[in-house]
Every structure is written in structure tokens, then in C-alpha cells.
Amino acid sequence: MTSHNKGFSMKLRLRLLVGLAALVSVAAPLSAQAHRAWILPSCTVLSGDDPWVGIDGAISNELFYADHRPMQLASVKALDPDGVEVPLQNAAVGKFRSTFDLQLTKVGTYKVFTQNGQSRTETFITRGAPSTGALKPTGVGLELQPVTHPNDLIAGEAATFIFLRDGKPVPGLEVTILPGESRYRDNPGEIKVTTAADGSFSVKWPEPGYYWMNASIPLPADAAAAPAPRAQAAPAGGAPAGPPRRRG
């Protein structure tokens, strides 16, 4: 039997979904960007003897509503708590979204991500106690390095992260954060922060739920002429951060 969010009955969690992009030109304001890529797990903290999680992926106009096109699963990967790639189970591609299951065979934190050229989207899922093996930066491109564990975020409390580019801190980077469930809100609740000299930034989560974080940087002019790096295919046979919670 699998229980979800065990031990966190007095806290309301946040779920963090991260989108990273290196662009040829400075990104347009978020409100002007028509489509957003996201990977959305059905749960981000689980326990039990044989936990599974269902995951959707899409590129959409409305955040977390599949209304444009599915995410291509050939570029999606999952890493277990030791950083080892694991297969995506029961994968399928629909008209507006892709879906797959992930079996959490090890205790710790998993990372699910997609790399398409210079763009990267990722999320995090933890079975039992959080771990950091799958969170280690690769030293290539724009990456998020958590200081606060992405599956241990608390509503009303600050969390700290660092943005790296090719393994080095990125100062002065604007980071945009959007809460989910914004379709019927007059105010989408956008949060903007800027990284410090050491690439770090902090955000205080206003409420529990899923959050989408986005950052982008310009590429040198000569990079526009160079071919984008190819995304590696998912393994044959198969083919996201935990929300803040409220302290009681």
C-alpha cells in the first residue's frame, strides 16, 4: 500500500517545476510568451513499498492545462537518487499531452527532465527521505542548483536556489515564478526575483501548490549560426519540485 505525503499532515507543500532556456535574444516578457513547456507529476512526495507516480508533459498556452501540443517523449529522461537513468513506463503521446508512469524503486529524490536544444524543463519527485544525488549540476548550460531541497518547500517560508551557467554562478539573472491554477484568476500571481553576485536568489512562497519557475539568458551572436545540441533519446522500452507546505 502506498501513502502520499506521509508525515506532512500539518504542512502544505509546494511543487516546483523549472523551465530553463538560453536564447539568442533576450526573452520577451512572460505575459507575451504564448507557450510554456511543463512536466507535471501527479504527486511529488511519496512513501510505501512500491510507489509509482503518473506524469504529464505538454507545451501549452494556459499553464498546466494541456491545450496546444504534447511534449515529445524522445527527449524526456528520468534519473534515480543515484543519478542513474531509469525507464519511463506506459508512455503514450496524445493530441495535447504526453503521459508516462515512473516507478520509484529507490528511496530518495528523482529528477525528470527534457532537453530540447538550448531549452531545459525539469521537476523533482521524492520517495521517503529527500536526497541530492540526482540534483548535482552537470556543468553544461543553464542549470538550477537547489540550496533548499525542491521537495521540502514550505508555504510562507523562503527557499534559496542558485543558477549556474556552465558550472559558474549567473549574477543579475531575472527569474520568473508563476503559481498554477491561474486560469480563473484576475491576477496570475507572477513573482520576479534577480540573482545575486553568487548566482543565488530566494523566494517566499505565498501559498501551497504547483509553481513554474523560468529563467533565460541571451546567447552570443555567433551561437545563432551554430546548430543546437541534439537531445538524447529516452531509453528503449519506455520512453517533475515539491510544493510548499504550511507549518501547523
Side-chain angles (χ1 to χ4, degrees):
M1 178 177 179
T2 299
S3 60
H4 301 283
N5 296 333
K6 183 178 180 181
F8 296 116
S9 58
M10 300 300 293
K11 302 175 181 179
L12 295 179
R13 285 187 164 274
L14 291 161
R15 299 169 177 85
L16 182 64
L17 312 170
V18 182
L20 310 176
L23 306 176
V24 173
S25 60
V26 178
L30 190 63
S31 59
Q33 292 181 3
H35 304 135
R36 304 179 181 103
W38 45 266
I39 302 172
L40 187 67
S42 59
C43 188
T44 59
V45 179
L46 305 94
S47 61
D49 296 332
D50 186 27
W52 289 70
V53 62
I55 301 173
D56 291 338
I59 294 88
S60 66
N61 296 295
E62 293 280 350
L63 184 59
F64 303 151
Y65 290 93
D67 60 8
H68 181 55
R69 62 183 175 88
M71 180 170 286
Q72 296 304 306
L73 293 179
S75 62
V76 177
K77 290 186 177 184
L79 301 181
D80 73 10
D82 297 320
V84 177
E85 188 173 347
V86 294
L88 312 183
Q89 306 282 354
N90 307 315
V93 178
K95 175 67 175 179
F96 295 115
R97 66 183 174 94
S98 296
T99 185
F100 59 91
D101 297 325
L102 189 65
Q103 184 180 19
L104 311 182
T105 59
K106 297 179 182 178
V107 173
T109 300
Y110 292 69
K111 177 165 68 175
V112 181
F113 66 97
T114 177
Q115 183 85 39
N116 290 301
Q118 298 290 343
S119 297
R120 180 184 180 93
T121 304
E122 61 189 26
T123 191
F124 310 93
I125 304 160
T126 292
R127 172 188 175 184
S131 62
T132 59
L135 310 184
K136 295 178 181 178
T138 65
V140 179
L142 183 63
E143 297 181 283
L144 182 75
Q145 180 178 351
V147 177
T148 305
H149 195 282
N151 287 137
D152 195 23
L153 308 178
I154 310 296
E157 298 185 6
T160 301
F161 306 89
I162 298 173
F163 269 113
L164 306 173
R165 183 181 186 183
D166 296 333
K168 298 179 181 180
V170 185
L173 179 66
E174 185 177 82
V175 182
T176 302
I177 301 163
L178 276 176
E181 302 297 330
S182 61
R183 171 177 279 187
Y184 305 109
R185 294 177 181 171
D186 292 332
N187 183 349
E190 180 179 285
I191 301 169
K192 285 186 179 290
V193 294
T194 302
T195 58
D198 62 354
S200 69
F201 69 97
S202 295
V203 57
K204 187 175 182 179
W205 310 103
E207 60 185 30
Y210 282 102
Y211 283 77
W212 184 81
M213 179 187 294
N214 183 74
S216 59
I217 55 176
L219 287 173
D222 58 357
R230 290 188 176 182
Q232 297 182 5
R245 53 186 192 270
R246 185 173 299 151
R247 289 195 183 280

